[in-house]
Short mmCIF file of all heavy atoms in Angstrom, two decimals:
data_model
loop_
_atom_site.label_atom_id
_atom_site.label_comp_id
_atom_site.label_asym_id
_atom_site.label_seq_id
_atom_site.Cartn_x
_atom_site.Cartn_y
_atom_site.Cartn_z
N GLU A 1355 -6.54 -23.63 -1.36
CA GLU A 1355 -7.25 -23.44 -2.59
C GLU A 1355 -7.25 -24.71 -3.45
O GLU A 1355 -6.46 -25.64 -3.18
CB GLU A 1355 -6.48 -22.33 -3.46
CG GLU A 1355 -6.43 -20.98 -2.74
CD GLU A 1355 -5.15 -20.88 -1.98
OE1 GLU A 1355 -4.50 -21.93 -1.69
OE2 GLU A 1355 -4.83 -19.76 -1.53
N ARG A 1356 -8.11 -24.71 -4.36
CA ARG A 1356 -8.12 -25.86 -5.34
C ARG A 1356 -6.77 -25.92 -6.06
O ARG A 1356 -6.26 -24.85 -6.45
CB ARG A 1356 -9.29 -25.68 -6.36
CG ARG A 1356 -10.58 -26.26 -5.89
CD ARG A 1356 -11.61 -26.09 -6.93
NE ARG A 1356 -11.87 -24.72 -7.28
CZ ARG A 1356 -11.60 -24.18 -8.41
NH1 ARG A 1356 -11.12 -24.85 -9.38
NH2 ARG A 1356 -11.86 -22.91 -8.65
N GLN A 1357 -6.33 -27.07 -6.24
CA GLN A 1357 -5.01 -27.16 -6.90
C GLN A 1357 -5.18 -27.54 -8.44
O GLN A 1357 -5.98 -28.49 -8.68
CB GLN A 1357 -4.13 -28.29 -6.31
CG GLN A 1357 -2.77 -28.35 -6.87
CD GLN A 1357 -1.93 -29.38 -6.15
OE1 GLN A 1357 -2.47 -30.25 -5.51
NE2 GLN A 1357 -0.64 -29.24 -6.22
N SER A 1358 -4.69 -26.73 -9.33
CA SER A 1358 -4.72 -27.08 -10.72
C SER A 1358 -3.65 -28.06 -11.00
O SER A 1358 -2.65 -28.08 -10.38
CB SER A 1358 -4.60 -25.85 -11.61
OG SER A 1358 -3.59 -25.08 -11.21
N SER A 1359 -3.84 -28.97 -11.95
CA SER A 1359 -2.84 -29.98 -12.25
C SER A 1359 -1.61 -29.37 -12.84
O SER A 1359 -1.63 -28.26 -13.35
CB SER A 1359 -3.40 -31.02 -13.19
OG SER A 1359 -3.36 -30.45 -14.50
N GLU A 1360 -0.53 -30.03 -12.69
CA GLU A 1360 0.81 -29.50 -13.13
C GLU A 1360 0.71 -29.31 -14.68
O GLU A 1360 1.31 -28.41 -15.27
CB GLU A 1360 1.92 -30.45 -12.76
CG GLU A 1360 2.51 -30.09 -11.55
CD GLU A 1360 3.71 -30.92 -11.12
OE1 GLU A 1360 4.47 -31.31 -12.06
OE2 GLU A 1360 3.90 -31.18 -9.96
N VAL A 1361 0.00 -30.22 -15.39
CA VAL A 1361 -0.11 -30.15 -16.83
C VAL A 1361 -0.81 -28.83 -17.21
O VAL A 1361 -0.36 -28.06 -18.02
CB VAL A 1361 -0.89 -31.33 -17.43
CG1 VAL A 1361 -1.07 -31.17 -18.91
CG2 VAL A 1361 -0.22 -32.62 -17.05
N LEU A 1362 -1.92 -28.54 -16.52
CA LEU A 1362 -2.60 -27.25 -16.72
C LEU A 1362 -1.74 -26.03 -16.42
O LEU A 1362 -1.76 -25.09 -17.19
CB LEU A 1362 -3.92 -27.21 -15.93
CG LEU A 1362 -5.08 -28.08 -16.41
CD1 LEU A 1362 -6.28 -27.95 -15.49
CD2 LEU A 1362 -5.45 -27.64 -17.80
N LEU A 1363 -0.96 -26.10 -15.37
CA LEU A 1363 -0.13 -25.06 -14.96
C LEU A 1363 0.93 -24.77 -16.07
O LEU A 1363 1.20 -23.65 -16.50
CB LEU A 1363 0.57 -25.29 -13.63
CG LEU A 1363 1.53 -24.23 -13.15
CD1 LEU A 1363 0.81 -22.87 -12.93
CD2 LEU A 1363 2.24 -24.61 -11.84
N ASP A 1364 1.59 -25.88 -16.57
CA ASP A 1364 2.57 -25.74 -17.61
C ASP A 1364 1.99 -25.17 -18.84
O ASP A 1364 2.62 -24.25 -19.47
CB ASP A 1364 3.18 -27.17 -17.97
CG ASP A 1364 4.09 -27.63 -16.80
OD1 ASP A 1364 4.39 -26.91 -15.94
OD2 ASP A 1364 4.38 -28.86 -16.80
N ALA A 1365 0.79 -25.53 -19.20
CA ALA A 1365 0.18 -25.05 -20.40
C ALA A 1365 -0.14 -23.54 -20.25
O ALA A 1365 0.03 -22.74 -21.17
CB ALA A 1365 -1.12 -25.83 -20.73
N ALA A 1366 -0.65 -23.23 -19.07
CA ALA A 1366 -0.95 -21.76 -18.81
C ALA A 1366 0.28 -20.89 -18.76
O ALA A 1366 0.31 -19.80 -19.32
CB ALA A 1366 -1.70 -21.66 -17.45
N VAL A 1367 1.37 -21.42 -18.20
CA VAL A 1367 2.62 -20.69 -18.25
C VAL A 1367 3.15 -20.50 -19.62
O VAL A 1367 3.58 -19.38 -20.01
CB VAL A 1367 3.71 -21.43 -17.27
CG1 VAL A 1367 5.05 -20.90 -17.59
CG2 VAL A 1367 3.32 -21.24 -15.86
N GLU A 1368 3.07 -21.50 -20.39
CA GLU A 1368 3.49 -21.37 -21.79
C GLU A 1368 2.73 -20.45 -22.60
O GLU A 1368 3.19 -19.60 -23.36
CB GLU A 1368 3.53 -22.82 -22.48
CG GLU A 1368 4.10 -22.87 -23.88
CD GLU A 1368 5.49 -22.31 -23.99
OE1 GLU A 1368 6.33 -22.45 -23.06
OE2 GLU A 1368 5.79 -21.69 -25.07
N ALA A 1369 1.34 -20.46 -22.37
CA ALA A 1369 0.49 -19.51 -23.08
C ALA A 1369 0.80 -18.09 -22.61
O ALA A 1369 0.82 -17.16 -23.49
CB ALA A 1369 -1.02 -19.88 -22.79
N ALA A 1370 1.03 -17.87 -21.33
CA ALA A 1370 1.38 -16.53 -20.87
C ALA A 1370 2.67 -16.00 -21.48
O ALA A 1370 2.75 -14.87 -21.97
CB ALA A 1370 1.48 -16.57 -19.39
N ALA A 1371 3.69 -16.91 -21.59
CA ALA A 1371 4.94 -16.57 -22.14
C ALA A 1371 4.82 -16.20 -23.56
O ALA A 1371 5.43 -15.25 -24.12
CB ALA A 1371 5.97 -17.69 -21.94
N GLU A 1372 3.99 -16.97 -24.32
CA GLU A 1372 3.74 -16.70 -25.74
C GLU A 1372 3.20 -15.34 -26.02
O GLU A 1372 3.57 -14.59 -26.81
CB GLU A 1372 2.76 -17.69 -26.27
CG GLU A 1372 3.29 -19.00 -26.75
CD GLU A 1372 4.31 -18.81 -27.99
OE1 GLU A 1372 4.06 -17.91 -28.71
OE2 GLU A 1372 5.24 -19.60 -28.05
N ILE A 1373 2.14 -15.00 -25.12
CA ILE A 1373 1.48 -13.64 -25.26
C ILE A 1373 2.49 -12.53 -25.01
O ILE A 1373 2.58 -11.54 -25.75
CB ILE A 1373 0.27 -13.51 -24.23
CG1 ILE A 1373 -0.85 -14.52 -24.64
CG2 ILE A 1373 -0.14 -12.13 -24.09
CD1 ILE A 1373 -1.91 -14.66 -23.63
N LEU A 1374 3.23 -12.69 -23.94
CA LEU A 1374 4.18 -11.63 -23.55
C LEU A 1374 5.28 -11.50 -24.52
O LEU A 1374 5.78 -10.39 -24.87
CB LEU A 1374 4.74 -11.91 -22.17
CG LEU A 1374 3.69 -11.90 -20.99
CD1 LEU A 1374 4.28 -12.32 -19.66
CD2 LEU A 1374 3.21 -10.43 -20.84
N HIS A 1375 5.71 -12.64 -25.11
CA HIS A 1375 6.83 -12.61 -26.07
C HIS A 1375 6.37 -11.90 -27.41
O HIS A 1375 7.16 -11.26 -28.06
CB HIS A 1375 7.30 -14.06 -26.32
CG HIS A 1375 8.50 -14.13 -27.20
ND1 HIS A 1375 8.46 -14.53 -28.54
CD2 HIS A 1375 9.80 -13.76 -27.03
CE1 HIS A 1375 9.63 -14.42 -29.09
NE2 HIS A 1375 10.49 -14.00 -28.14
N ALA A 1376 5.15 -12.17 -27.74
CA ALA A 1376 4.60 -11.64 -29.01
C ALA A 1376 4.29 -10.10 -28.91
O ALA A 1376 4.21 -9.43 -29.93
CB ALA A 1376 3.39 -12.38 -29.41
N ALA A 1377 4.19 -9.59 -27.69
CA ALA A 1377 3.85 -8.19 -27.50
C ALA A 1377 4.97 -7.26 -27.85
O ALA A 1377 6.11 -7.52 -27.57
CB ALA A 1377 3.33 -8.02 -26.10
N ASP A 1378 4.63 -6.03 -28.32
CA ASP A 1378 5.65 -4.99 -28.53
C ASP A 1378 5.91 -4.19 -27.25
O ASP A 1378 7.02 -3.84 -26.92
CB ASP A 1378 5.20 -4.06 -29.63
CG ASP A 1378 5.32 -4.66 -31.06
OD1 ASP A 1378 6.23 -5.56 -31.19
OD2 ASP A 1378 4.55 -4.42 -31.90
N LEU A 1379 4.87 -3.87 -26.57
CA LEU A 1379 4.98 -3.19 -25.29
C LEU A 1379 4.07 -3.76 -24.21
O LEU A 1379 2.96 -3.30 -23.99
CB LEU A 1379 4.69 -1.66 -25.46
CG LEU A 1379 4.97 -0.83 -24.17
CD1 LEU A 1379 6.39 -0.98 -23.71
CD2 LEU A 1379 4.58 0.64 -24.39
N PRO A 1380 4.60 -4.86 -23.53
CA PRO A 1380 3.76 -5.50 -22.52
C PRO A 1380 3.83 -4.71 -21.22
O PRO A 1380 4.79 -4.00 -20.94
CB PRO A 1380 4.41 -6.87 -22.35
CG PRO A 1380 5.77 -6.70 -22.84
CD PRO A 1380 5.81 -5.59 -23.79
N LEU A 1381 2.73 -4.82 -20.44
CA LEU A 1381 2.61 -4.14 -19.15
C LEU A 1381 2.56 -5.16 -18.05
O LEU A 1381 1.79 -6.14 -18.15
CB LEU A 1381 1.39 -3.23 -19.15
CG LEU A 1381 0.94 -2.68 -17.81
CD1 LEU A 1381 1.94 -1.59 -17.35
CD2 LEU A 1381 -0.44 -2.14 -17.82
#
Side-chain angles (χ1 to χ4, degrees):
E1355 301 89 346
R1356 270 181 300 115
Q1357 186 176 22
S1358 46
S1359 76
E1360 269 184 35
V1361 177
L1362 283 178
L1363 179 62
D1364 288 349
V1367 165
E1368 186 52 37
E1372 274 297 330
I1373 290 169
L1374 294 171
H1375 185 253
D1378 286 329
L1379 185 59
L1381 168 72

